[in-house]
Amino acid sequence: GKSMQGACGAIVIGSIVNSILTRSAANNRVITKEPEKWLKESFLEIQKVLEAFNGTMLVTCILGVIEDETGLLNYFNAGHPLMVLYRDEKASFIEEEITTSKLGTPFNLELGIVQVQLKPEDIVFCGSDGKDTLLQKRSPSKEQTKNKENGQILKLVEESAGQLNKIHESILKMGEISDDFSLIRISYLGNLDLSTT
């Protein structure tokens, strides 16, 4: 975020998630817990810490786990822009709607876990709403207006053939970024046999 509150929120949430990941993988341990259970425990831990701020620090995020061998993706989306799946040269939103409130929302106990079976060569994108809220110039008055069309990202992903740099370049051509901008690309390669390479 652009504010001090947003910066503090990023530090707090980063510290909590880092602690969860460090503890989960301590002593080179392989996590044997079911993905849904791990996600629920992580959600409740983050939620409990943020509740101490009495609703003054609300955080949007996507937290998920991909099983390397099977490509099964489990995640929850807490008020973040919808995730995009790029498969067979077509882009679509994975979820129809957000099912989990922002983290830190008082009495936030409803956790909606989304499960998606990824196929080899599938690509998943998730990012902040800065990619959707661009300042655009309007002719002839040259007055700036905000683009709030979140479906535009689907078109850009398809036109770029899922290439992150091309998506970024296209977004910059469309207008000026007016909010925090992040975009993550995760590609699933399938169950590679590393013994032969």
Side-chain angles (χ1 to χ4, degrees):
K2 299 179 288 292
S3 65
M4 182 60 74
Q5 183 181 355
C8 291
I11 292 170
V12 170
I13 195 77
S15 299
I16 300 167
V17 172
N18 186 52
S19 174
I20 291 169
L21 294 176
T22 301
R23 191 173 60 246
S24 296
N27 302 319
N28 296 320
R29 187 170 65 210
V30 174
I31 302 172
T32 56
K33 210 173 272 187
E34 291 293 318
E36 297 95 331
K37 186 173 181 184
W38 185 86
L39 285 170
K40 180 159 188 159
E41 289 175 0
S42 299
F43 165 80
L44 291 173
E45 185 171 342
I46 298 167
Q47 174 65 24
K48 186 175 179 181
V49 172
L50 294 180
E51 275 180 1
F53 293 93
N54 295 320
T56 61
M57 188 175 291
L58 305 180
V59 176
T60 68
C61 82
I62 293 174
L63 184 61
V65 179
I66 299 175
E67 295 179 4
D68 289 341
E69 292 183 2
T70 65
L72 187 64
L73 166 62
N74 287 274
Y75 73 93
F76 68 81
N77 182 342
H80 214 58
L82 302 176
M83 281 183 60
V84 174
L85 173 65
Y86 181 64
R87 174 184 286 168
D88 298 328
E89 301 180 2
K90 294 287 180 190
S92 61
F93 291 120
I94 296 177
E95 319 107 297
E96 292 182 12
E97 61 183 6
I98 295 167
T99 56
T100 304
S101 298
K102 293 179 181 180
L103 294 166
T105 303
F107 311 108
N108 185 14
L109 297 173
E110 291 295 321
L111 177 62
I113 294 180
V114 180
Q115 195 173 74
V116 183
Q117 181 60 61
L118 297 178
K119 298 177 180 178
E121 299 185 22
D122 277 356
I123 302 172
V124 175
F125 292 92
C126 53
S128 63
D129 54 6
K131 69 186 183 318
D132 305 314
T133 54
L134 302 171
L135 287 176
Q136 297 178 318
K137 288 189 175 176
R138 194 191 326 173
S139 297
S141 66
K142 302 291 184 191
E143 189 181 315
Q144 285 191 320
T145 59
K146 262 195 178 180
N147 169 42
K148 286 224 167 200
E149 185 186 339
N150 65 357
Q152 182 71 34
I153 189 66
L154 300 179
K155 182 180 175 187
L156 295 179
V157 168
E158 289 180 0
E159 288 175 351
S160 70
Q163 295 185 32
L164 197 57
N165 288 339
K166 288 187 178 179
I167 297 170
H168 183 240
E169 288 168 11
S170 297
I171 287 172
L172 292 178
K173 285 178 186 172
M174 288 174 56
E176 182 184 337
I177 294 172
S178 64
D179 203 349
D180 60 305
F181 178 88
S182 63
L183 189 61
I184 296 172
R185 177 188 191 271
I186 302 167
S187 58
Y188 178 64
L189 302 178
N191 189 10
L192 297 177
D193 183 2
L194 299 178
S195 62
T196 59
T197 58

